[in-house]
Amino acid sequence: MPERKENLSPVKLPLYSAAHEKVGELEVAGAVFGRDGDLSLLHEAVRMQLANRRSGTASTKTKGLISGGGRKPWRQKGTGRARAGSTRSPIWRHGGTIFGPQPRDYSYKMPKKAWRAALCLAISDRARNGKLFVVESLDLPEPKTKAAKAALDKLGLEHALILLGEGDGKFLLAARNLAAHKVLALEGLNVYDVLNYRELVMTSRTAKAIEARFAGEAK
């Protein structure tokens, strides 16, 4: 099959005010906000993130870790019973566990280019389906949860991931306690959270920061 060509032409995203009024358009790189590619990368990225979250602390005791059982239960021959060397044998009640789980590290890393491509695919999916809201600003007079909730309600958001960049510290403090939404610093941008929330919200400055971050990938 012929290789699919990436859409490198710029994408124009609607730009909203804090009152959910369209005030213009923001032109961004198509390779970041209008990407079309292998969706299996999304599955691989989410699978990696969930694996990295596993604590890996499940542990069972083998025969050597259980106390007691140091004395031979009965002599080797002459009793008519099977040979036994310890009461902590795995075939005995209260014995050890054979091949049980042990503490381990489940984390792994996917290639950096694949991870970046998956992030661009996730963002592009929200933009393509009209679930990406780019606003002029998320400034608040004071970091109050009530004010943050009112601002998000004006945008008509129900279950949104709010991506914040530099200068959005007040909104980060105000919205972090909202149960229906999640605020995330730009440094923590990840595939799982983008796909886990129905809407994605960011300021125009944050959108340009994302474009600059993936400038090499866009080329």
Side-chain angles (χ1 to χ4, degrees), residues 67-89:
S67 60
R71 182 173 67 87
K72 190 174 176 65
W74 50 77
R75 58 193 176 95
Q76 184 80 347
K77 296 179 180 293
T79 63
R81 290 182 285 187
R83 294 173 291 183
S86 172
T87 57
R88 296 300 179 255
S89 169

Side-chain angles (χ1 to χ4, degrees), residues 10-16 22-29 33 132-136 202-209 211:
V11 174
K12 291 184 179 180
L13 300 175
L15 183 62
Y16 297 96
K22 187 176 179 180
V23 294
E25 292 181 335
L26 181 68
E27 187 174 289
V28 289
F33 290 87
L132 173 59
F133 297 89
V134 181
V135 295
E136 290 181 309
M202 63 182 72
T203 63
S204 56
R205 182 169 52 185
T206 303
K208 284 297 183 180
E211 183 182 27

Side-chain angles (χ1 to χ4, degrees), residues 38-50 53 110 115 117-129 131 159-163 182 184 188-201:
D38 187 3
L39 296 182
S40 66
L41 287 175
L42 297 177
H43 173 266
E44 180 66 20
V46 171
R47 184 171 176 268
M48 182 198 71
Q49 282 192 247
L50 295 180
R53 291 183 182 186
M110 62 187 297
W115 169 252
L119 270 176
C120 293
L121 283 172
I123 296 172
S124 299
D125 176 78
R126 291 296 177 261
R128 188 178 299 110
N129 292 296
K131 299 298 183 180
H159 190 242
L161 174 67
I162 302 101
L163 196 60
K182 180 176 181 178
L184 191 66
L189 177 62
N190 63 88
V191 176
Y192 179 83
D193 282 330
V194 173
L195 298 180
N196 193 40
Y197 287 83
R198 288 196 292 269
E199 302 106 359
L200 178 61
V201 183

